[in-house]
């Protein structure tokens, strides 16, 4: 059974990497995304690279045609498997997994989480969560103040 699946993935990958947009859309409509994602957890580095290339090209076509193929990959647990591949022993598998995640599943509109990097202000760095007001009834830890107890930490103070 594995040999047949392997050959099928090669066929889908060959179409996804070398076919026309119409041919690629045809295999997608026939279930290619689910089929390719189903092998993203195998212990065969060559097949992983073949499958990752197919996913990359399918997602690339989705962007080109304004189709949300990334959602299909996510629904087939493909995103979770690609995230797991970031820990793969093969550097090539790791690099391709990171590229797919950053290219097709990264933060929206290139937005960066404000808490990932320190805020620089006048040569000092600040880390933490800015103060936010919350409803006292929902946050009993507030005591008498409506301010959240977490504040930005500044090393200059």
């Amino acid at each position: 059974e594995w040999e047949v699946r392997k050959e099928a993935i090669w066929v889908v990958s060959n179409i996804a990497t070398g076919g026309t947009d119409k041919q690629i859309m045809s295999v997608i409509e026939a279930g290619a995304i689910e089929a390719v994602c189903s092998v993203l957890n195998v212990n065969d580095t060559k097949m992983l690279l073949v499958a990752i290339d197919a996913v990359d090209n399918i997602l690339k076509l989705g962007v080109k045609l304004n189709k949300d193929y990334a959602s299909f990959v996510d629904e087939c647990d493909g995103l979770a498997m690609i995230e797991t591949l970031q820990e793969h022993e093969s550097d090539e598998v790791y690099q391709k997994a990171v590229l797919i995640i950053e290219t097709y599943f990264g933060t929206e509109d290139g937005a960066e989480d404000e808490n990932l990097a320190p805020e620089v202000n006048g040569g000092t760095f600040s880390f933490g969560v800015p103060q936010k007001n919350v409803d006292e009834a929902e946050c009993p830890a507030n005591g008498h103040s409506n301010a959240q107890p977490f504040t930005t930490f500044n090393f200059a103070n």
Side-chain angles (χ1 to χ4, degrees):
E1 179 185 313
W2 170 239
E3 292 301 317
V4 174
R5 283 181 66 199
K6 221 160 83 165
E7 289 301 318
I9 295 303
W10 271 106
V11 169
V12 171
S13 181
N14 285 337
I15 293 170
T17 57
T20 65
D21 292 355
K22 188 174 182 177
Q23 291 168 332
I24 298 169
M25 287 175 53
S26 294
V27 295
I28 290 169
E29 290 170 7
I33 293 175
E34 186 174 0
V36 171
C37 288
S38 74
V39 298
L40 289 173
N41 61 356
V42 299
N43 194 16
D44 181 335
T45 302
K46 182 64 178 170
M47 287 312 301
L48 285 173
L49 292 170
V50 168
I52 290 171
D53 284 341
V55 170
D56 183 35
N57 282 292
I58 287 169
L59 292 171
K60 194 178 296 177
L61 178 65
V63 169
K64 178 181 173 184
L65 300 178
N66 200 26
K67 303 231 182 229
D68 191 17
Y69 293 150
S71 290
F72 294 124
V73 171
D74 191 16
E75 289 171 12
C76 296
D77 294 325
L79 177 56
M81 288 188 244
I82 293 168
E83 287 173 340
T84 301
L85 292 177
Q86 293 179 97
E87 300 172 16
H88 196 272
E89 61 190 23
S90 165
D91 189 54
E92 191 174 3
V93 169
Y94 163 78
Q95 293 293 336
K96 289 184 177 203
V98 168
L99 181 66
I100 287 174
I101 291 168
E102 288 178 350
T103 304
Y104 306 105
F105 299 98
T107 58
E108 294 180 17
D109 301 321
E112 190 175 305
D113 186 339
E114 64 187 30
N115 295 319
L116 289 180
E119 182 179 316
V120 179
N121 187 4
T124 63
F125 297 94
S126 300
F127 295 89
V129 180
Q131 284 190 346
K132 295 180 181 175
N133 290 331
V134 295
D135 182 16
E136 190 173 320
E138 293 181 25
C139 188
N142 279 344
H144 298 290
S145 169
N146 283 342
Q148 187 173 352
F150 300 106
T151 61
T152 302
F153 182 80
N154 189 326
F155 285 107
N157 295 340

